[in-house]
Amino acid sequence: MQDVVVVDIGGTHARFAIASIGDDGAIALDEPETLHTVDHASFQTAWQAFRERKGGTLPTAVSMAIAGPVGSPGKPNPVIRFTNNPWIIRPALINEKLGVERFTLVNDFAAVAHAVARADDSQFLHLAGPDQPLGREGTISVIGPGTGLGVAHLYRRPGHYRVQATEGGHIDFAPLDSIEDAILARLRQRHIRVSAERVVAGPAIVDIYQALAALEHRTVPEQDAITIWNLGTSGEDPLAAAAVDRFCLSLGSVAGDLALAQGGFAGVVIAGGLGYRIRETLLASGFGSRFKAKGRFESLMAGIPVKLIVHPQPGLFGAAAAFASEHS
């Protein structure tokens, strides 16, 4: 049995826990703690805050799931910068600054892919396609709308799997109808290049809402993303509800594109807190129809099981699995 500090660092939150990894590879997490990245000047000060909450001592191993490129195992990037928060990490200083002997660095959605590989069937909610488990062999695409759009995939065969981190959230967004043309036109006023992340990540709901208002020649007050999500999912504001439904349609299109690009024919998994919060809306939306709307490949897409991972902490669980994979 080995104890490891596991950390899942995104654009908004840094989640910490202690993972116990058994000799048989079984993973158990203690109660996670969530810190806001804006409340801490650096990762080291957030680490110190967590250590104090744990009584001043921590295990001498750490595995970090990081929202951004990290390099490869054994050859991390010299300086790791986060996509959506200002922290930086210098791997050469981790042992000294954190007081640990061993560490693992993994892209946050590579960590989620590790969690997908290790989670049992009860940890998945069916969204679209055939209602069957994810394939035991082949490639599975993992997609997560949150502060940004995380993308990874894994290839597995019996008794083995391999994870590949990607920056697939930054592929070009491809509109499918006149409403998405209008959303794209609005985004192009501020961005030379509009990536999928600009449309199917949490903050994008603001631009979708404003674009729909403009189509109806309406003037609506400036509202933040959280407010629009709450108004839309509750049904309190019909325009916000239409924006949420449009988000689900676009997410289906992007998920289908990524499955085609990655060969994710053994399954597609939607991950992240946002996906879980809007799960009922996703089920009732046109997400599934858009996922398979790929012209000549519609029958192929219709045969792919699409799931939502409902594990409460896939990033932390996956960080522990990545550590076990690297150091076993």
Side-chain angles (χ1 to χ4, degrees), residues 114-186:
H114 277 280
V116 168
R118 295 283 300 268
D120 60 44
D121 292 340
S122 67
Q123 296 291 335
F124 298 96
L125 172 70
H126 181 68
L127 289 179
D131 191 357
Q132 64 190 39
L134 298 168
R136 301 303 175 191
E137 295 188 57
T139 298
I140 297 171
S141 296
V142 185
I143 301 147
T147 305
L149 180 63
V151 179
H153 58 91
L154 66 105
Y155 175 79
R156 67 179 177 184
R157 52 188 172 82
H160 176 75
Y161 72 90
R162 182 172 181 175
V163 164
Q164 176 64 58
T166 82
E167 291 299 329
H170 300 284
I171 63 172
D172 290 337
F173 174 67
L176 203 61
D177 60 23
S178 60
I179 294 177
E180 288 175 354
D181 286 340
I183 294 168
L184 179 62
R186 175 182 171 82

Side-chain angles (χ1 to χ4, degrees), residues 125 127 275-285 308:
L125 172 70
L127 289 179
Y276 183 77
R277 286 194 298 276
I278 66 169
R279 61 193 182 281
E280 298 300 329
T281 305
L282 274 174
L283 284 166
S285 74
L308 175 72

Side-chain angles (χ1 to χ4, degrees), residues 204-229:
I205 198 70
V206 174
D207 284 301
I208 296 172
Y209 182 72
Q210 292 288 343
L212 295 183
L215 284 172
E216 295 190 357
H217 306 289
R218 294 172 55 180
T219 300
V220 292
E222 293 288 337
Q223 302 187 91
D224 62 27
I226 294 174
T227 299
I228 297 171
W229 279 113

Side-chain angles (χ1 to χ4, degrees), residues 7-311:
V7 194
D8 180 14
I9 312 169
T12 306
H13 301 106
R15 297 175 176 87
F16 290 76
I18 306 298
S20 297
I21 304 174
D23 293 338
D24 60 353
I27 296 168
L29 298 177
D30 74 350
E31 188 64 28
E33 301 208 25
T34 300
L35 304 181
H36 291 277
T37 55
V38 295
D39 293 337
H40 298 276
S42 67
F43 174 70
Q44 188 176 356
T45 64
W47 174 273
Q48 290 168 347
F50 177 67
R51 184 171 59 199
E52 289 169 7
R53 294 185 187 193
K54 288 296 185 180
T57 59
L58 291 173
T60 58
V62 61
S63 182
M64 289 182 268
I66 292 172
V70 299
S72 57
K75 192 177 180 181
N77 294 338
V79 178
I80 294 172
R81 303 181 188 277
F82 292 80
T83 304
N84 289 300
N85 90 46
W87 290 356
I88 62 172
I89 290 175
R90 292 181 171 83
L93 301 178
I94 286 176
N95 298 100
E96 174 190 349
K97 296 296 185 181
L98 303 186
V100 297
E101 296 172 0
R102 292 194 292 175
F103 65 87
T104 288
L105 300 174
V106 62
N107 171 268
D108 60 338
F109 261 80
V112 174
H114 277 280
V116 168
R118 295 283 300 268
D120 60 44
D121 292 340
S122 67
Q123 296 291 335
F124 298 96
L125 172 70
H126 181 68
L127 289 179
D131 191 357
Q132 64 190 39
L134 298 168
R136 301 303 175 191
E137 295 188 57
T139 298
I140 297 171
S141 296
V142 185
I143 301 147
T147 305
L149 180 63
V151 179
H153 58 91
L154 66 105
Y155 175 79
R156 67 179 177 184
R157 52 188 172 82
H160 176 75
Y161 72 90
R162 182 172 181 175
V163 164
Q164 176 64 58
T166 82
E167 291 299 329
H170 300 284
I171 63 172
D172 290 337
F173 174 67
L176 203 61
D177 60 23
S178 60
I179 294 177
E180 288 175 354
D181 286 340
I183 294 168
L184 179 62
R186 175 182 171 82
L187 288 164
R188 276 211 181 117
Q189 294 173 12
R190 298 196 307 279
H191 310 289
I192 296 173
R193 176 180 177 273
V194 178
S195 67
E197 181 175 89
R198 301 290 187 188
V199 182
V200 291
I205 198 70
V206 174
D207 284 301
I208 296 172
Y209 182 72
Q210 292 288 343
L212 295 183
L215 284 172
E216 295 190 357
H217 306 289
R218 294 172 55 180
T219 300
V220 292
E222 293 288 337
Q223 302 187 91
D224 62 27
I226 294 174
T227 299
I228 297 171
W229 279 113
N230 289 336
L231 290 172
T233 53
S234 69
E236 184 178 342
D237 178 345
L239 187 65
V244 171
D245 190 60
R246 175 56 55 173
F247 176 93
C248 294
L249 290 171
S250 297
L251 178 60
S253 291
V254 171
D257 288 344
L258 288 164
L260 280 174
Q262 296 177 341
F265 306 134
V268 170
V269 175
I270 304 299
L274 176 58
Y276 183 77
R277 286 194 298 276
I278 66 169
R279 61 193 182 281
E280 298 300 329
T281 305
L282 274 174
L283 284 166
S285 74
F287 169 89
S289 296
R290 274 293 194 90
F291 176 82
K292 67 181 181 180
K294 301 301 175 189
R296 292 169 292 171
F297 292 94
E298 184 164 341
S299 60
L300 172 67
M301 302 303 290
I304 299 174
V306 185
K307 309 289 184 180
L308 175 72
I309 187 168
V310 296
H311 189 287

